[in-house]
């Protein structure tokens, strides 16, 4: 019985797709396209099945801006070297060692080639933009952003002769003893079965599947916002795990940042993120602070705030700051809530005015003299306050006063399929699958047991996508 179609199969007829392919790629984002291009360049026939329509093609990749790759020298767009060892140190620190070291080092090594490989597929880079995400040395920014990057990859894939089907959601997989046989997809015409020599699963994580998120987080997941594609529901991932592929990662581990609480439930993208935590204080709905807002330089800490807000009552918090901080960060899509006094601001946020006034007064009283410098870990801190604010602490005292409401914004999940260095899926018995490969979010948990370093999502997709495509082609041609 085809996995995923146990209930539907009897009710709906399944047409046979007229063509058999060497490589079937499930998904249409960065990992999928890198795999498809690599496989096609190796001489195989390739079909890409993308659930989204053409305009929304490319899943979360549409929203990206940059990719982290190791490199030994400065380039036209990167300000200095970023060695493999430094990349590994950064990854080990953010994951607190919760990573497969051999696989991670392999990825980092391969990332060195990605900058030229991906440019050869038509993607162009630009120097890093300024602002709080100062990644000009480590991360390569896509000229025109993720959508332009995807357009280049799709154009190259089309020119090479990759077949691409949009609005083609993979609904079922036929897998026998770890061997992929065929997939069933749904498009406008109904259900169709397509046979292929190999499968590359590059269909993202399960972040858009709230019910699945609840298994890791409980009911509070109802209050999460999903920053990317509503299509990443983990349909393919679930079928693979149900077919005996080994699972890796923790269901509650994911990349989650604090985003504007007014953002849409899905696909709000980068413009709903808020980078101003370090410039103010963050309070929960009882108007109480709960974490050191100035713990570290923002790019190193931004990915902890989704989890911190998730732990607060109602999964909501408020970043409160005053007039001097307003020009210091990139604004969100939505204007901040503004008032002439802290009490009035509290009323607009539906917080207890007295409680917020007390919190701000206690914070202001604890602020020590220092030299404010947003570009480094400065000496502006609080004394005698719990929790402390250890850098960039300045009294909140100059009207107008501002606030942004924030909720956890889930970027992508980490639980996925275990793979080896060839991006080949590992079965529950520890043996490599005969012909199934995975790349991108769907296997991110192999590298990211927890934590995040900006730009690594695209590294995982590009590096393992290229490997998966190449290995699938090698298998397909044998
Ligand atoms: C707002 C935002 C900003 C980000 N910024 C960055 C950044 O600057 N740098 C970075 O490294 N990372 C960033 N990320 C993370 C990054 O987007 C992902 O790590 C990366 O795009 C994952 O690539 P992927 O190909 O695995 O998944 P996606 O790009 O999400 O692609 C998954 C694809 O699978 C398709 N799909 C899903 N289910 C099915 C199915 N059943 N059948 C067929 N197709 C299916 C989807 O439609 C989609 O095309 C960001 C994420 C978000 C949400």
């Amino acid at each position: 019985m085809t996995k995923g179609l146990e209930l539907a199969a009897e009710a709906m007829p399944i047409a046979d797709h007229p063509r058999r392919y060497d490589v079937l790629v499930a998904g249409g984002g960065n990992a999928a396209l890198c795999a498809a291009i690599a496989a096609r360049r190796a001489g195989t026939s390739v079909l890409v099945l993308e659930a989204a329509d053409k305009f929304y093609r490319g899943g979360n990749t549409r929203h990206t801006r940059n990719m982290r790759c190791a490199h030994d020298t400065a380039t036209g767009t990167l300000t200095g070297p970023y060695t493999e060892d430094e990349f590994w140190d950064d990854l080990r620190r953010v994951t607190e060692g919760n990573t497969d070291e051999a696989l991670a080092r392999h990825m980092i090594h391969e990332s060195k080639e990605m900058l030229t490989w991906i440019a050869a597929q038509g993607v162009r880079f630009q120097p890093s933009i300024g602002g709080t995400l100062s990644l000009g040395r480590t991360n390569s920014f896509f000229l025109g952003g993720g959508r332009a990057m995807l357009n280049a990859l799709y154009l190259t894939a089309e020119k090479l002769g990759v077949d691409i089907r949009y609005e083609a959601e993979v609904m079922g997989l036929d897998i026998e003893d770890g061997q992929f046989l065929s997939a069933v997809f749904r498009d406008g015409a109904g259900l169709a079965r397509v046979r292929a020599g190999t499968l590359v699963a590059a269909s993202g994580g399960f972040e858009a599947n709230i019910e699945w998120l609840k298994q890791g987080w409980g009911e509070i997941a109802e209050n999460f916002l999903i920053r990317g594609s509503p299509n990443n529901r983990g349909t393919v991932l679930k079928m693979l795990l149900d077919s005996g592929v080994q699972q890796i990662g923790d269901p509650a581990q994911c990349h989650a940042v604090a985003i504007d609480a007014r953002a849409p439930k899905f696909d709000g993208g980068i413009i709903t993120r808020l980078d101003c935590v370090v410039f103010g204080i963050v309070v929960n709905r009882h108007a109480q602070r709960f974490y050191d807002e100035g713990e570290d330089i923002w790019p190193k800490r931004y990915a902890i705030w989704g989890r911190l807000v998730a732990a607060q009552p109602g999964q909501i918090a408020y970043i409160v700051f005053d007039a001097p901080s307003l020009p210091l960060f990139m604004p969100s899509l939505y204007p901040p809530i503004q008032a002439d006094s802290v009490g009035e601001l509290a009323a607009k946020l539906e917080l207890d005015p007295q409680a917020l006034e007390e919190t701000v007064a206690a914070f202001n009283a604890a602020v020590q003299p220092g030299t404010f410098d947003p570009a480094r870990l400065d000496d502006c801190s609080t004394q005698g306050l719990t929790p402390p604010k250890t850098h960039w602490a300045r009294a909140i005292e100059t009207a107008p006063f501002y606030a942004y409401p924030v909720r956890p914004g889930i970027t992508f999940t980490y639980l996925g399929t275990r793979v080896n260095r060839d991006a080949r899926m590992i079965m529950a018995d520890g043996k490599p699958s005969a012909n199934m490969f995975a790349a991108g979010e769907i296997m991110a948990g192999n590298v990211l047991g927890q934590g995040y370093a900006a730009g690594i999502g695209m590294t995982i997709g590009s590096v393992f996508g290229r490997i998966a495509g190449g290995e699938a082609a090698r298998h397909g041609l044998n």
Side-chain angles (χ1 to χ4, degrees):
M1 171 64 69
T2 306
K3 272 285 173 242
L5 289 178
E6 289 87 347
L7 296 176
E10 284 171 30
M12 292 184 78
I14 302 176
D16 266 324
H17 194 276
R19 187 167 172 198
R20 182 187 186 278
Y21 288 86
D22 298 321
V23 180
L24 174 71
V25 180
N30 173 47
L33 268 290
C34 287
I37 289 170
R40 183 75 192 122
R41 283 200 187 282
T44 53
S45 59
V46 183
L47 174 66
V48 168
L49 294 176
E50 158 64 308
D53 62 24
K54 192 169 181 183
F55 182 80
Y56 281 107
R57 69 185 179 187
N60 289 350
T61 303
R62 278 175 299 134
H63 295 296
T64 62
R65 294 185 299 169
N66 60 68
M67 177 165 89
R68 181 179 292 253
C69 292
H71 49 277
D72 290 331
T73 55
T75 70
T77 53
L78 290 160
T79 58
Y82 184 51
T83 64
E84 288 183 46
D85 282 344
E86 190 183 352
F87 192 158
W88 164 244
D89 281 347
D90 284 342
L91 181 61
R92 193 187 45 193
R93 194 174 52 249
V94 295
T95 59
E96 295 179 14
N98 196 347
T99 177
D100 177 334
E101 179 170 352
L103 203 64
R105 282 187 183 273
H106 180 52
M107 178 193 80
I108 289 168
H109 180 68
E110 293 293 311
S111 79
K112 278 175 114 168
E113 273 188 29
M114 280 322 294
L115 291 177
T116 39
W117 188 83
I118 214 134
Q121 315 317 321
V123 175
R124 295 289 169 263
F125 297 109
Q126 65 180 69
S128 146
I129 52 172
T132 44
L133 269 182
S134 42
L135 300 165
R137 183 173 63 86
T138 54
N139 288 31
S140 294
F141 283 70
F142 309 123
L143 179 65
R147 208 182 253 273
M149 187 254 188
L150 275 165
N151 288 346
L153 293 182
Y154 270 97
L155 194 64
T156 299
E158 282 163 8
K159 279 188 187 157
L160 289 170
V162 172
D163 284 352
I164 298 165
R165 297 287 291 263
Y166 297 106
E167 297 179 78
E169 183 184 1
V170 176
M171 309 268 297
L173 294 177
D174 275 313
I175 297 168
E176 268 178 35
D177 300 328
Q179 169 123 18
F180 167 77
L181 303 172
S182 67
V184 175
F185 66 98
R186 180 176 56 188
D187 65 6
L191 294 178
R193 182 183 307 280
V194 58
R195 291 177 174 74
T198 55
L199 171 72
V200 176
S203 46
F206 62 91
E207 55 275 357
N209 185 334
I210 305 293
E211 291 307 312
W212 196 342
L213 288 181
K214 280 187 195 170
Q215 289 174 22
W217 290 87
E219 283 302 310
I220 66 168
E222 285 287 351
N223 290 330
F224 295 173
L225 301 172
I226 313 308
R227 303 176 67 211
S229 170
N231 291 317
N232 288 6
R233 290 191 297 272
T235 314
V236 173
L237 171 60
K238 171 123 194 359
M239 291 187 285
L240 290 168
L241 299 179
D242 288 349
S243 303
V245 174
Q246 203 178 116
Q247 173 179 313
I248 189 149
D250 175 338
Q253 285 300 337
C254 58
H255 181 268
V257 299
I259 65 167
D260 200 307
R262 297 163 291 182
K265 183 78 179 170
F266 297 102
D267 243 353
I270 193 79
I271 50 175
T272 64
R273 199 182 74 192
L274 285 160
D275 292 351
C276 51
V277 164
V278 287
F279 300 123
I281 59 170
V282 184
V283 299
N284 61 20
R285 73 175 180 200
H286 302 305
Q288 302 301 315
R289 292 177 59 247
F290 50 89
Y291 198 81
D292 176 1
E293 301 88 350
E295 189 178 48
D296 207 340
I297 296 282
W298 183 238
K300 294 193 180 164
R301 274 346 238 168
Y302 79 96
I304 67 168
W305 279 88
R307 199 164 280 276
L308 288 170
V309 176
Q312 296 307 305
Q315 292 67 56
I316 189 145
Y318 305 86
I319 308 170
V320 175
F321 56 97
D322 63 355
S325 293
L326 188 65
L328 298 180
F329 60 91
M330 249 187 300
S332 115
L333 173 67
Y334 305 91
I337 292 159
Q338 179 179 337
D340 290 330
S341 71
V342 171
E344 189 193 326
L345 187 67
K348 286 188 172 175
L349 300 174
E350 297 181 12
L351 300 178
D352 177 350
Q354 194 185 338
L356 187 62
E357 281 168 354
E358 284 172 11
T359 296
V360 172
F363 172 75
N364 288 350
V367 169
Q368 302 301 300
T371 308
F372 178 73
D373 184 351
R376 62 178 185 90
L377 288 170
D378 71 7
D379 61 353
C380 294
S381 61
T382 59
Q383 202 167 35
L385 190 69
T386 309
K389 184 171 178 185
T390 47
H391 304 95
W392 310 294
R394 294 191 298 175
I396 298 170
E397 57 191 7
T398 309
F401 298 92
Y402 297 101
Y404 281 108
V406 286
R407 285 201 183 277
I410 310 301
T411 319
F412 65 97
T413 47
Y414 293 175
L415 182 151
T417 57
R418 186 183 285 278
V419 297
N420 65 14
R421 56 189 277 130
D422 295 336
R424 198 181 279 267
M425 290 184 223
I426 303 297
M427 305 307 293
D429 61 8
K431 295 201 180 101
S433 155
N435 61 351
M436 298 195 294
F437 302 83
E441 283 180 9
I442 196 168
M443 46 66 70
N446 289 269
V447 175
L448 292 171
Q450 63 184 71
Y452 191 71
I456 218 170
M458 293 297 278
T459 321
I460 295 171
S462 306
V463 168
F464 287 104
R466 181 189 178 199
I467 294 174
E471 292 297 321
R474 200 201 313 253
H475 180 96
L477 290 173
N478 278 339

